[in-house]
Amino acid sequence: MGYNARRAALSIIELFLERLAPYGLKPVDFSVMSTIHHNPGVTSRQLCAALNLLPPNLVGLIQSLEARGLIERKPHPHDGRAVGLHPTDQGIALMQQAEQTASDLEVEKTSRLTAAQRKTLLDLLQKIYL
Amino acid sequence: MGYNARRAALSIIELFLERLAPYGLKPVDFSVMSTIHHNPGVTSRQLCAALNLLPPNLVGLIQSLEARGLIERKPHPHDGRAVGLHPTDQGIALMQQAEQTASDLEVEKTSRLTAAQRKTLLDLLQKIYL
DNA sequence: TATTGTTATACTCTATAACTATA
DNA sequence: TATAGTTATAGAGTATAACAATA
């Protein structure tokens, strides 16, 4: 099961890398940007917990996304230690396109599955790790 | 989909590493040994194709498994360039136990799924990458 | 004392180029 | 010329320890 899930993931990621390259987003960048996009003000720690990343490995990603003007770091309203991460207008525009591209490639890569099977597959996978 | 498949795979692999450590087998070692176990005489190239590995990364694995006395390298009957990989009695004995352990942990890790759902999940995953 | 974010660094995994021996 | 196996090495991904600032 672990083997098959890994092979399926790598198969999708292979096409993902190709299709999302024009946006300058690798899978981890995409998942970070997507989480910030749909949860403005999220902190680094929350991102790490949600995406199963380690804090030291997130630092460079955040710095890179900020340098590209895709996100902004704002002081957290209630915690002076934390920093809220917000998408810029440019980041929002990029993610709207990137998420459509990702959705399209996912359907293409799972073209041997029906829509119902795609939903079943997602549900079963999440029952394993959530 | 790629994200969920990866998270599920990593979740299973995490427990796999723990449970198979007593056998000295990491996931890639297990899949290599399992393929040799069930396909005695298989070549390195065939292993690479079946498991999606690159030849340079297989060399060290094979040498390690041979040094541990789990496999033997025998001349290929029809191709002087190739080497057939065969499990030793010790390797067969190890894999019989290791495969049972792996099967058990897989059922445990997917305990929120029924047997029918486990089969469905495997079928759907294979439809993506095969 | 615990937590957020960070730096430095080590370790593992994966990928590429080039070589040899044989087909 | 093409393929099997190998070597060396580069690059990406992942991991731990330790630190400053704030709770």
Side-chain angles (χ1 to χ4, degrees), chain B residues 12-110:
Chain B
I12 298 171
I13 289 170
E14 184 180 23
L15 185 58
F16 186 101
L17 286 169
E18 180 184 324
R19 297 284 176 82
L20 275 293
Y23 302 101
L25 295 175
K26 282 182 284 190
V28 65
D29 304 311
F30 178 88
S31 57
V32 166
M33 275 302 297
S34 184
T35 304
I36 295 173
H37 180 205
H38 298 291
N39 303 274
V42 68
T43 68
S44 289
R45 284 284 164 172
Q46 290 171 327
L47 273 176
C48 287
L51 301 176
N52 200 30
L53 300 173
L54 292 172
N57 299 331
L58 187 60
V59 175
L61 299 178
I62 295 297
Q63 290 176 343
S64 173
L65 295 172
E66 186 184 23
R68 291 172 59 190
L70 299 177
I71 61 171
E72 280 180 335
R73 294 156 42 106
K74 301 180 182 176
H76 192 281
H78 304 311
D79 189 336
R81 298 168 301 179
V83 178
L85 303 172
H86 301 259
T88 62
D89 289 346
Q90 184 188 345
I92 292 171
L94 183 81
M95 284 312 292
Q96 283 171 347
Q97 288 195 289
E99 288 182 349
Q100 182 62 50
T101 299
S103 176
D104 291 346
L105 83 84
E106 175 170 307
V107 170
E108 178 179 334
K109 198 70 194 181
T110 58

Side-chain angles (χ1 to χ4, degrees), chain A:
Chain A
M1 187 68 81
Y3 174 79
N4 283 279
R6 182 162 189 273
R7 287 293 300 269
L10 288 174
S11 173
I12 297 171
I13 289 170
E14 184 180 24
L15 185 59
F16 186 101
L17 286 170
E18 179 184 326
R19 296 286 176 82
L20 275 292
Y23 303 100
L25 295 175
K26 282 183 286 191
V28 65
D29 304 311
F30 178 87
S31 56
V32 166
M33 274 303 296
S34 184
T35 304
I36 296 173
H37 180 204
H38 297 291
N39 303 274
V42 69
T43 69
S44 289
R45 284 284 164 172
Q46 290 171 329
L47 272 176
C48 287
L51 302 177
N52 199 31
L53 300 173
L54 292 171
N57 300 331
L58 186 60
V59 175
L61 299 178
I62 296 296
Q63 290 176 342
S64 174
L65 294 172
E66 187 185 22
R68 291 172 59 189
L70 300 177
I71 61 172
E72 280 180 335
R73 294 157 41 106
K74 300 180 183 176
H76 192 281
H78 304 311
D79 190 334
R81 298 169 301 182
V83 178
L85 303 172
H86 301 259
T88 62
D89 290 346
Q90 184 188 345
I92 292 171
L94 182 80
M95 285 311 292
Q96 283 171 348
Q97 288 195 288
E99 288 181 352
Q100 182 61 52
T101 299
S103 175
D104 290 347
L105 83 84
E106 176 172 306
V107 170
E108 178 179 334
K109 197 69 195 181
T110 58
S111 59
R112 294 177 60 197
L113 276 55
T114 65
Q117 284 176 320
R118 266 190 284 275
K119 184 179 183 311
T120 297
L121 180 49
L122 282 177
D123 288 345
L124 295 176
L125 288 172
Q126 289 177 359
K127 278 193 179 179
I128 292 179
Y129 78 87
L130 282 184

